[in-house]
Amino acid sequence: MTPAIRIAGLSKRFRLGTGTRSPYRTLAESLSDGVRGAARAVRGVRREAAPSASDFWALQDVTFDVMPGQVVGVVGRNGAGKSTLLKILSRIVEPTAGRVEVRGRIGSLLEVGTGFHPELSGRENVYLNGSILGMTRREIDRKFAEIVAFAEVERFLDTPVKRYSSGMSVRLAFAVAAHLEPEILVVDEVLAVGDAAFQRKCLGKMGEVARNGRTILLVSHNTGTVRTLCSHGVYLSGGRAVAAGPVDAVLAEYLKGQQADARPEYDLSAAPRPAGKQAILRSVRLLDGVGRPTQIMMTGEPLTLEFGLRLAAPTTTPQVGVGVDDLWGQRVYSVASYLAADDLPPLPAGDSVVRCRVPSVDLAPGRYSLSLSFGYSLAGLADQVEGLVAFDVEANDFYGNGRLPGPGLGQTLVRSQWSAHPAGDAAP
């Protein structure tokens, strides 16, 4: 099968600094430079040397294929080259080297109000954007009512787009791109602008588009969204394609670099906190069933978390909470002192040690991270540390039958007892 998108050796270089001039200059820029030069001459000031320019490679030798009907998620840190890639595919930016082959009509949604003219009304921009995407007026007429209903801008349809809020603009822009049936839909992180209800609506629409066999290239920092919508992924780092293939494998490679290293002990005194939080949680140790520090737990074995606290004031109602998150950042379960049978005792100002014992780590093998919190009472959160503490779980004879837990069982393991008897016989 011929790829819908073929990218081979793609590279893009930008020039940084002011050492080079743009080949095209406006009249205002030329006049401004002339006035500044005359002023320097009058004052006897010599012209400063222009800072030297340097090369920045946003993309370097990127190669991968996207087959027709695939939904591909592009992930990577900020500055990895994701948006540059989409702009090249959308013919907004020319590559420096390499080749891009696109088979099919592309619809792009790269930023809020992409392709909209601020002075035109919403109605006029629907037709303008549709024409840019290569649609005939008859095609736009056929989809117009559906586009407007999806965007929920009926009351403002004949109002200039410059008076739209960012949310209204992105709703209409996405509606046009998704409903005008391009063979290939390219979507950047723009969906993060909308509210939660709109984002769910967009995800549902993209799922529908994918089921209809169209090709989608999606950039998102939300790994849950990528994993839900996409069958394949591309991981960009430093402008290079580090991994490409099935989405779970690509996301696992990406998340390896995002998570904390698993260690038996952590110093949290200088860890970053949300604004307004105090550094009360000073340290944490992970202990196995016999009290030895460890970063590797076996399925079904006990785990003890030992917290070092430094309180600015005494409290009679200390509250410590722990959230366990999986590789994808999804919460697996939580434990907290206020959920236990007995409350923690009062703690004085100064240093204290709090221990939490989990009788059995009933988790599938893999990497997990902890989100920690402390409050002087149930009413308020005084300290919070997220994603900096991690541990690994390895397979053990959890079920007692010599069979190790394998993939596909879910994140939480549960023991069970089974029995059977012929119909009509009394249950054993």
Side-chain angles (χ1 to χ4, degrees), residues 10 68 96 125 149 161 176 179 191 221 279 283 301 312 322 324 393 417:
L10 187 65
T96 304
N125 270 297
V161 166
V176 172
H179 285 80
L191 298 185
H221 288 99
S283 65
E301 297 294 323
V322 180
V324 181
V393 176
Q417 296 179 341

Side-chain angles (χ1 to χ4, degrees), residues 283-366:
S283 65
V284 62
R285 292 202 304 164
L286 291 83
L287 310 175
D288 64 13
V290 294
R292 296 173 301 192
T294 182
Q295 73 270 27
I296 300 175
M297 305 305 303
M298 307 302 293
T299 55
E301 297 294 323
L303 165 67
T304 296
L305 299 172
E306 183 181 87
F307 301 95
L309 309 180
R310 181 169 297 171
L311 305 184
T315 175
T316 58
T317 55
Q319 306 293 333
V320 180
V322 180
V324 181
D325 299 329
D326 67 9
L327 182 67
W328 316 107
Q330 304 298 311
R331 183 61 45 89
V332 179
Y333 61 73
S334 299
V335 293
S337 58
Y338 72 89
L339 298 175
D342 298 317
D343 290 331
L344 286 173
L347 294 177
D351 293 335
S352 298
V353 175
V354 171
R355 286 189 177 91
C356 169
R357 186 175 188 274
V358 180
S360 177
V361 178
D362 299 343
L363 295 173

Side-chain angles (χ1 to χ4, degrees), residues 65-147:
D65 290 342
V66 178
M67 304 307 293
Q70 280 187 346
V71 184
V72 178
V74 182
V75 297
R77 291 176 177 267
N78 290 331
K82 305 184 298 298
S83 295
T84 300
L85 172 64
L86 297 194
K87 288 178 180 178
I88 291 175
L89 289 174
S90 302
R91 300 181 181 179
I92 296 172
V93 172
E94 287 287 335
T96 304
R99 187 176 72 256
V100 176
E101 298 176 7
V102 178
R103 291 175 173 83
R105 189 164 50 190
I106 286 187
S108 301
L109 184 58
L110 305 185
E111 48 187 64
V112 176
T114 300
F116 282 5
H117 193 293
E119 299 296 336
L120 299 181
S121 69
R123 184 189 304 274
E124 292 165 333
N125 270 297
V126 169
Y127 281 90
L128 173 63
N129 214 347
S131 299
I132 291 172
L133 293 176
M135 305 296 169
T136 66
R137 185 178 183 88
R138 181 173 296 178
E139 287 177 295
I140 300 172
D141 287 340
R142 180 166 51 87
K143 287 285 185 177
F144 187 82
E146 190 177 346
I147 291 170

Side-chain angles (χ1 to χ4, degrees), residues 160-177:
V161 166
K162 66 182 180 181
R163 299 198 178 106
Y164 283 18
S165 67
S166 60
M168 292 167 61
S169 296
V170 77
R171 288 203 302 270
L172 189 57
F174 180 86
V176 172

Side-chain angles (χ1 to χ4, degrees), residues 21 25 28-48:
R21 289 176 175 266
R25 297 177 55 75
E29 288 172 334
S30 299
L31 291 173
S32 178
D33 282 355
V35 170
R36 280 197 295 267
R40 291 191 190 98
V42 170
R43 297 196 307 268
V45 177
R46 298 178 60 186
R47 185 181 182 90
E48 313 92 8

Side-chain angles (χ1 to χ4, degrees), residues 172-217:
L172 189 57
F174 180 86
V176 172
H179 285 80
L180 292 184
E181 300 181 353
E183 286 86 358
I184 301 170
L185 180 60
V186 176
V187 185
D188 205 343
E189 190 69 77
V190 64
L191 298 185
V193 176
D195 56 32
F198 171 69
Q199 290 181 37
R200 288 194 296 270
K201 196 173 182 179
C202 289
L203 294 178
K205 183 61 182 178
M206 283 196 289
E208 178 187 328
V209 169
R211 288 190 294 274
N212 290 336
R214 281 183 274 168
T215 306
I216 299 177
L217 207 61

